[in-house]
Structures are given as structure tokens and as C-alpha cells.
């Protein structure tokens, strides 16, 4: 490339540190990278942003995917990517998002703590309805565009704080499930890490080979039940990942304890699931003879004749082919009955939830009690250590949009632990090329 052009573009390129104040304002740390709460230096009183510094260096495959996907999406209930910065000095990629002060993991934790302190405050019923409606709306948009989320859970459901979008849901993905899937590193080499399977659909636990829209719907059902009861419906001891085997006995046992063992007539194709034989060997239908969703919810004070229960049952249907779609769910009686869902999930009332705390740069611990420790962790937060997980593939055609950056070279950079199967920055023109490979989300 022309040297003068290179010098000129380097001088003109907007630098994240010149435009934003974010030092000491880290609000998240995970396998995906670091997230900071940021303010514009030019107008510090204006809105707040979230700046995500992607783990590793260079435009990795996952960075490429995330950017390419997010720049195509526009919906009020899906996180919106505002800008991408490439820091050429340290080869870091930064993504700028709107800042969401809350998320369902923290909101549910607030209510659980109140319950533990014997001062239970339930999540207001109107708020639950508005939250679920907006989650369905965002997921319906993604599904209509053949984007499957694949990792819906409370931590990925953000809620906007004070400001013009007060109380609006933003579906995000902190990316844990798909970041660390290095095909070359044996699982045994990794530090023990726990993951949660609480939101996993039964077909995934029985070895389904493909992700589907129905898998996202099951997760929404789990979140709905958790909002209604402040308890994770399919809570289960979290396991160290030692294998890439999708079959998780304890998680299935927990699902059957709540739902009952699936009847052949209710889920005919269960026989065709890859792990069906293991299931038959490990479980006895009679163990779960007394279990059903109605009993479980009644125990948690949700009436079986309520519209909320009726919708929940349709979302938590064991047979994925019979599970409700997001489109149908949004038209359900539950949302037509008063009070109808509102755009501000807090309904104009004061927000009781604390603001995000800053975490220190040198360790991974939240200053609050957000410890992501192995089996003692009652959270669904992504663990902080890296792990390789092997989710099933997503079927559907690849439809890569043109990217802003020219990508040049594959790098298999495994030693830093960042496991980039990625691409280097082109040190040349960062705004003219196109990226066009390996895009599998559509
Ligand atoms: O929230 C993000 N920071 N990223 C994000 C959001 C989403 C959807 C909600 C649109 C599904 N996907 N991603 C995403 C995260 C990581 C990667 C590698 C790709 C996409």
C-alpha cells in the first residue's frame, strides 16, 4: 500500500481512547473480552455506552461473525452495534453498544436475595409480562431473519436504565458458548470449568444434532418460569465440562422431576434421538409418575388456570415440533388480558435495582458477591475461565454480508489462550475490503 496513504489514514482514524472515557469503568469480564461503561469525551453529559474490547488480537473469526451479524440487525429489542474501532497499536477490536444498566441475571438475583433475607418481593406480574413480551418480540425478529440465539439465559437479557429507552429489553449474547471451540485442544487439557445447562432444551440434552428456533423458545419458557417464581425452574448442580457429550443425566433428571417423564404419544420422535437408548437405560418412567408442570407451578403460587401458566406450558413443551413459536406466543391471550405489556418494563415506577458495579482491572472478581465458583455457584453467569464447548451445528445457509475490514490471513493462535482461529488486520485499508467466509449463523 502507498506509504503516504497509510500515514494519512492512520492520522485520520478515530481512536477509541481519544473519543471515550472508560478508564476504571470495567463492568464485565468474561471469555468474550472486557466490557466498559463509557462516556463521550466531547459531550460527557450525553448518553452512556458499553465498550466491548474483544478478547485476543486481530479480527478473529468470532469478531468477524459478531460484527457482520450485528451490523445487519435492527430491532428495538436486540442490542445494537453503534461503531467498531480498530486499535492499530495493540491490534485490539472494540465494539461500541448502547449501555444497559440492568440485566435479568442481576434483577433475579436481587429478588432471590430479598427472599433469602426473609423479605420477599416478587417481580411485579406486569413487569414479567412486559419482559417476556419484549423477549419474544426480539426473538421473533431474529428468527424471522434466520438468526438463532442458541444461548438464551438471564445474563443475556439486558434492560435499559433511566433515559429515553427506560425499561426496554435488549437481547444480547456475551458469546461464551461459542467462543472457545478450538478443535485442536483436548478437553482434558483445560482447567475445570462449570457451565449451566438449566436453559437447555431436552432435545439438546438427548443429542440433537442441530440448533433450532424451538431451542430458543424452550429457554424463553425457562426464563418465564424463573421470573414468575424467582427460582431457576430446572436448577441443577453445575458440572465441570469433561466431555463434549451432550447427554447430561442430572439435568434431564431435573427436567423430568418438574415436567414428568415424556410420554411416547406426546413426543413420538423421542425414539429417534441419538441418546434415546442411554435415556431408556438410565431412567424409569415410574420415578416421575407424580411430577408435572402444573404441580410445580402451583407449589410456587402460580395458578394452573392463569393465562401465564397456559402460555408457559406451551413454551415448555417437551416435543420441539409441538413447541409454540415466538409469533404465536406474542398473540397469546396472556398478552391481551389486562394489564397489557408496556414498553417500560418498570412501568414508570422507581427502579429498585442497583446500578452495575465497576470491577477492578487486575482480577476477575466483581466487588459484589458475583463469584463464579464451581459447584457452589448458584448463578448462570458465564464462568470466567476458558473452556471448549461443542454445541451442535446450526443448519442453514451461510449468508455473509460484506464486512468493513479487509481480512488477509488465517492465524491459528492457540498459545495465548485466546484461541483465535482468526484473521489478522489488514494493515492496509481498513474500510474498503470485504469479509466473506465461515459465517454460519444464518
Ligand atoms: O451482544 C453481543 N455483544 N453480541 C451478540 C448479540 C447477538 C444476538 C443477540 C444478535 C444473537 N449475537 N452476538 C454475538 C456474540 C458473539 C459472536 C461471536 C457472534 C454474535
Amino acid at each position: 500500500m502507498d506509504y503516504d496513504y497509510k500515514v494519512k489514514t492512520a492520522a485520520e482514524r478515530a481512536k477509541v481512547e481519544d473519543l471515550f472515557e472508560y478508564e476504571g469503568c470495567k463492568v464485565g469480564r468474561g471469555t468474550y473480552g472486557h466490557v466498559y461503561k463509557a462516556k463521550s469525551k466531547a459531550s460527557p453529559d450525553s448518553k452512556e455506552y458499553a465498550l466491548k474490547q474483544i478478547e485476543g488480537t486481530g479480527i478473529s473469526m468470532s469478531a468477524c461473525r459478531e460484527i457482520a451479524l450485528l451490523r445487519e440487525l435492527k430491532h428495538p429489542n436486540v442490542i445494537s452495534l453503534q461503531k467498531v474501532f480498530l486499535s492499530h497499536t495493540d491490534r485490539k477490536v472494540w465494539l461500541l453498544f448502547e449501555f444497559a444498566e440492568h440485566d435479568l441475571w442481576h434483577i433475579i438475583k436481587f429478588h432471590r436475595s430479598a427472599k433469602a433475607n426473609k423479605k420477599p418481593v416478587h417481580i411485579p406480574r406486569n413487569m414479567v409480562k412486559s419482559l417476556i413480551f419484549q423477549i419474544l418480540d426480539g426473538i421473533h425478529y431474529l428468527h424471522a431473519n434466520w438468526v438463532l440465539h442458541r444461548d438464551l439465559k438471564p445474563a443475556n437479557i439486558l434492560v435499559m436504565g433511566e433515559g429515553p429507552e427506560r425499561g426496554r429489553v435488549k437481547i444480547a449474547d456475551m458469546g461464551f458458548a461459542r467462543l472457545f471451540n478450538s478443535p485442536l485442544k483436548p478437553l482434558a487439557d483445560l482447567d475445570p470449568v462449570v457451565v449451566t445447562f438449566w436453559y437447555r432444551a431436552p432435545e439438546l440434552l438427548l443429542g440433537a444434532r442441530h440448533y433450532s428456533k424451538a431451542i430458543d423458545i424452550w429457554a424463553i419458557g425457562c426464563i418465564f418460569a424463573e421470573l414468575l417464581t424467582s427460582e431457576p425452574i430446572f436448577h441443577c448442580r453445575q458440572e465441570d465440562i469433561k466431555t463434549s457429550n451432550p447427554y447430561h443425566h442430572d439435568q434431564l433428571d431435573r427436567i423430568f422431576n418438574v415436567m414428568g417423564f415424556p410420554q411416547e404419544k406426546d413426543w413420538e420422535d423421542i425414539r429417534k434421538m441419538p441418546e434415546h437408548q442411554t435415556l431408556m437405560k438410565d431412567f424409569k418412567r415410574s420415578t416421575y409418575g407424580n411430577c408435572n408442570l402444573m404441580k410445580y407451578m402451583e407449589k410456587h403460587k402460580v395458578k394452573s388456570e392463569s393465562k401465564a401458566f397456559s402460555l408457559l406450558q406451551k413454551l415448555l413443551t417437551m416435543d420441539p415440533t409441538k413447541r409454540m413459536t415466538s409469533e404465536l406466543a406474542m398473540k397469546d391471550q396472556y398478552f391481551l388480558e389486562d394489564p397489557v405489556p408496556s414498553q417500560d418494563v418498570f412501568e414508570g415506577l422507581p427502579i429498585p435495582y442497583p446500578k452495575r458495579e465497576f470491577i477492578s482491572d487486575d482480577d476477575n472478581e466483581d466487588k459484589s458477591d458475583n463469584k463464579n465458583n464451581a459447584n457452589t455457584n448458584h448463578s448462570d453467569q458465564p464462568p470466567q475461565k476458558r473452556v471448549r464447548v461443542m454445541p451442535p451445528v446450526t443448519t442453514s445457509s451461510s449468508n455473509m454480508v460484506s464486512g468493513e475490514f479487509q481480512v488477509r490471513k488465517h492465524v491459528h493462535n492457540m498459545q495465548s489462550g485466546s484461541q483465535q482461529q482468526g484473521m489478522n488486520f489488514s494493515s492496509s485499508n481498513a474500510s474498503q475490503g470485504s469479509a466473506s467466509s465461515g459465517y454460519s449463523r444464518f
Side-chain angles (χ1 to χ4, degrees):
M1 198 222 303
D2 179 307
Y3 180 73
D4 291 341
Y5 181 74
K6 194 171 171 177
V7 173
K8 182 172 168 283
T9 49
E12 283 171 0
R13 188 176 301 120
K15 293 192 184 66
V16 69
E17 63 274 23
D18 293 345
L19 296 182
F20 293 95
E21 190 63 67
Y22 57 87
E23 217 176 298
C25 301
K26 191 183 283 188
V27 288
R29 165 83 186 98
T31 49
Y32 52 83
H34 308 249
V35 179
Y36 300 84
K37 181 174 179 174
K39 281 195 167 183
S40 155
K41 283 191 174 172
S43 47
D45 295 333
S46 71
K47 64 190 251 191
E48 292 157 334
Y49 295 92
L51 258 176
K52 167 172 162 177
Q53 185 194 52
I54 295 181
E55 183 71 40
T57 53
I59 305 178
S60 61
M61 279 302 270
S62 60
C64 203
R65 277 197 201 123
E66 186 166 12
I67 295 163
L69 174 66
L70 292 181
R71 69 200 291 277
E72 290 299 297
L73 300 174
K74 192 169 165 44
H75 186 275
N77 299 121
V78 175
I79 193 167
S80 103
L81 177 64
Q82 323 252 308
K83 217 172 162 59
V84 178
F85 293 95
L86 304 176
S87 171
H88 281 241
T89 43
D90 55 6
R91 301 177 63 251
K92 285 288 186 187
V93 179
W94 293 82
L95 308 187
L96 184 74
F97 298 98
E98 68 256 70
F99 183 74
E101 193 65 81
H102 310 282
D103 60 67
L104 287 194
W105 186 85
H106 282 99
I107 290 176
I108 293 167
K109 183 183 145 191
F110 176 89
H111 290 276
R112 285 183 63 87
S113 307
K115 200 168 165 183
N117 294 335
K118 305 258 180 306
K119 292 189 195 95
V121 206
H122 277 293
I123 306 177
R125 288 294 191 249
N126 304 1
M127 179 170 163
V128 174
K129 191 184 274 191
S130 303
L131 284 166
I132 290 300
F133 188 81
Q134 293 189 35
I135 295 170
L136 286 166
D137 206 353
I139 284 298
H140 176 239
Y141 169 78
L142 293 178
H143 286 181
N145 288 287
W146 276 99
V147 177
L148 307 176
H149 191 292
R150 307 188 291 175
D151 197 21
L152 275 172
K153 55 186 177 179
N156 279 332
I157 308 295
L158 311 182
V159 183
M160 301 296 280
E162 298 297 351
E165 289 196 280
R166 183 187 209 268
R168 184 168 290 172
V169 164
K170 301 277 173 184
I171 300 173
D173 184 350
M174 304 322 268
F176 174 73
R178 66 182 58 78
L179 271 179
F180 296 95
N181 57 350
S182 160
L184 300 177
K185 199 165 171 56
L187 283 160
D189 286 4
L190 295 163
D191 294 340
V193 171
V194 286
V195 282
T196 175
F197 299 111
W198 306 346
Y199 306 90
R200 281 215 173 171
E203 66 271 23
L204 269 179
L205 301 166
L206 291 174
R209 305 245 190 263
H210 304 288
Y211 277 104
S212 66
K213 294 176 183 178
I215 287 171
D216 285 344
I217 299 295
W218 178 271
I220 297 177
C222 300
I223 296 171
F224 189 14
E226 191 164 338
L227 290 170
L228 290 168
T229 64
S230 301
E231 302 283 343
I233 182 165
F234 301 124
H235 177 258
C236 181
R237 187 184 60 88
Q238 303 188 69
E239 297 174 40
D240 291 357
I241 309 178
K242 294 202 185 72
T243 81
S244 54
N245 188 348
Y247 181 83
H248 292 278
H249 175 280
D250 292 2
Q251 189 62 64
L252 282 164
D253 174 58
R254 173 65 189 169
I255 292 178
F256 302 150
N257 262 305
V258 174
M259 305 289 297
F261 196 83
Q263 309 262 8
E264 284 256 341
K265 68 169 174 54
D266 295 331
W267 186 358
E268 283 170 24
D269 285 351
I270 194 169
R271 290 176 290 114
K272 298 184 188 156
M273 297 309 298
E275 300 292 343
H276 184 252
Q277 282 202 334
T278 330
L279 178 77
M280 287 312 175
K281 176 172 67 66
D282 289 358
F283 292 89
K284 273 214 305 253
R285 177 183 306 281
S286 56
T287 318
Y288 308 99
N290 267 332
C291 311
N292 61 60
L293 183 62
M294 195 188 290
K295 262 196 189 155
Y296 174 85
M297 293 307 288
E298 292 265 2
K299 206 169 79 196
H300 287 274
K301 314 269 177 294
V302 177
K303 296 203 172 72
S304 56
E305 59 277 16
S306 67
K307 299 274 188 310
F309 177 79
S310 158
L311 174 60
L312 180 69
Q313 202 162 32
K314 290 178 254 180
L315 299 172
L316 290 181
T317 297
M318 297 283 258
D319 181 345
T321 65
K322 294 182 182 155
R323 214 169 285 152
M324 202 178 214
T325 63
S326 52
E327 193 180 6
L328 266 181
M330 285 173 70
K331 294 183 188 146
D332 195 81
Q333 276 298 316
Y334 172 60
F335 298 116
L336 300 175
E337 161 184 280
D338 273 340
V340 292
S342 52
Q343 287 204 339
D344 171 4
V345 303
F346 306 118
E347 312 251 333
L349 297 169
I351 303 174
Y353 310 109
K355 289 187 169 191
R356 290 189 191 281
E357 289 186 47
F358 297 134
I359 55 180
S360 69
D361 266 329
D362 37 273
D363 64 37
N364 289 341
E365 288 301 312
D366 195 328
K367 275 190 242 151
S368 64
D369 58 352
N370 176 19
K371 295 187 181 65
N372 284 316
N373 269 340
N375 297 334
T376 57
N377 182 13
H378 201 70
S379 84
D380 69 328
Q381 281 288 59
Q384 312 257 321
K385 285 177 183 166
R386 286 175 213 99
V387 66
R388 175 165 72 116
V389 285
M390 290 208 169
V393 293
T394 305
T395 41
S396 45
S397 61
S398 165
N399 182 13
M400 182 73 177
V401 290
S402 70
E404 274 187 30
F405 319 119
Q406 188 172 337
V407 286
R408 199 173 56 168
K409 184 170 122 193
H410 277 269
V411 178
H412 289 269
N413 173 11
M414 313 277 278
Q415 2 116 268
S416 67
S418 60
Q419 300 187 8
Q420 310 278 331
Q421 282 180 20
M423 294 163 172
N424 258 344
F425 286 169
S426 163
S427 57
S428 59
N429 188 350
S431 62
Q432 288 175 3
S434 74
S436 62
S437 65
Y439 193 45
S440 65
R441 285 186 74 90
F442 285 102

